[in-house]
Amino acid sequence: MALGNTNQQSNRKLLILKLKSKDENDVSLVPNMFQISEKVGDKWVARPELEARVSGNLTKVELGEGEWNKKKYGTVKLFLEDAATDELYLLDLRYNSLSRNLFNSLSALESFDNLSVSNYKSKSKKDDKEYANISLWQGDKMVKGKVALDALPKPEVITNKAGEVIQRDYAEVDTFYKTQLEALVPRVAAAQKA
């Protein structure tokens, strides 16, 4: 099964999946969900239902750049193929706390078949608050990150004069993950040629 609980067949349809953290009423989604868009005529149309997971074989990784409000950001496009439904899924991601966990797990892969990306929620032991998380599975085994959390670069913390955190600069963290993903791109391409 590829998306949700449907077993519908198609003719090699491309579906674009984007992580959504809020619903149409601007209410936070915990866990995050995938919004799925498909081409209808000449337009890309978002499906009304959201999905928690997608699965398939990783066939391609593309790194790029986007721009919003004259500010550039890095993008990562993951292509998953599902032979059972004859569909191709394009996960269109930006660098953020959720996707960085996924990128760390992708870097640990030795093969790229039978993958599943799942959104879920977890509860903080400190304050009992629920948080959105994402996981990568290969078959029935969860893929752990290549680099342990305590060995990952930390964001630069910017504080005001009172010592309060104003923001965190993730530039160094994102550069680290971009390097990991740049090494993944040719590995996935080579696996497709084999």
Side-chain angles (χ1 to χ4, degrees):
M1 163 177 10
L3 274 176
N5 296 320
T6 63
N7 288 321
Q8 298 175 355
Q9 297 293 317
S10 76
N11 295 319
R12 181 86 175 162
K13 181 176 269 197
L14 172 66
L15 300 172
I16 298 176
L17 286 77
K18 292 189 177 194
L19 273 174
K20 283 200 54 110
S21 59
K22 294 185 178 184
D23 68 12
E24 65 277 355
N25 299 317
D26 210 31
V27 175
S28 292
L29 293 171
V30 178
N32 286 182
M33 299 291 277
F34 290 117
Q35 179 179 49
I36 304 149
S37 296
E38 61 186 316
K39 198 156 194 180
V40 178
D42 292 338
K43 296 168 83 173
W44 285 94
V45 178
R47 291 180 176 176
E49 68 278 353
L50 302 175
E51 295 290 345
R53 69 181 271 283
V54 61
S55 61
N57 300 329
L58 183 65
T59 59
K60 188 176 182 181
V61 178
E62 283 183 2
L63 305 180
E65 197 173 72
E67 188 175 324
W68 187 73
N69 281 347
K70 298 182 181 179
K71 193 171 187 179
K72 294 186 188 244
Y73 59 88
T75 62
V76 178
K77 294 181 181 183
L78 305 174
F79 293 83
L80 293 170
E81 227 174 37
D82 185 358
T85 61
D86 200 23
E87 292 178 331
L88 179 64
Y89 310 115
L90 163 57
L91 275 69
D92 190 2
L93 304 167
R94 292 183 183 193
Y95 291 82
N96 59 39
S97 60
L98 213 54
S99 62
R100 288 182 197 105
N101 280 345
L102 178 60
F103 301 157
N104 196 10
S105 296
L106 285 166
S107 297
L109 290 173
E110 294 182 22
S111 66
F112 308 105
D113 292 342
N114 196 20
L115 301 178
S116 178
V117 179
S118 298
N119 289 292
Y120 69 98
K121 63 182 171 183
S122 62
K123 198 175 272 194
S124 169
K125 294 176 183 174
K126 292 179 186 174
D127 59 9
D128 230 20
K129 187 176 177 184
E130 291 184 329
Y131 292 93
N133 278 308
I134 198 164
S135 61
L136 178 66
W137 295 76
Q138 190 161 39
D140 59 357
K141 184 179 177 187
M142 189 165 94
V143 179
K144 301 288 184 189
K146 179 179 179 180
V147 180
L149 289 177
D150 57 353
L152 290 170
K154 306 293 183 250
E156 181 183 342
V157 178
I158 301 164
T159 59
N160 62 17
K161 290 180 181 180
E164 299 164 330
V165 175
I166 297 172
Q167 75 179 69
R168 289 180 170 82
D169 181 356
Y170 286 89
E172 183 182 339
V173 178
D174 290 342
T175 299
F176 169 82
Y177 280 109
K178 185 176 181 186
T179 302
Q180 296 288 313
L181 290 166
E182 286 170 342
L184 180 65
V185 170
R187 290 179 46 224
V188 172
Q192 289 305 298
K193 292 177 184 173

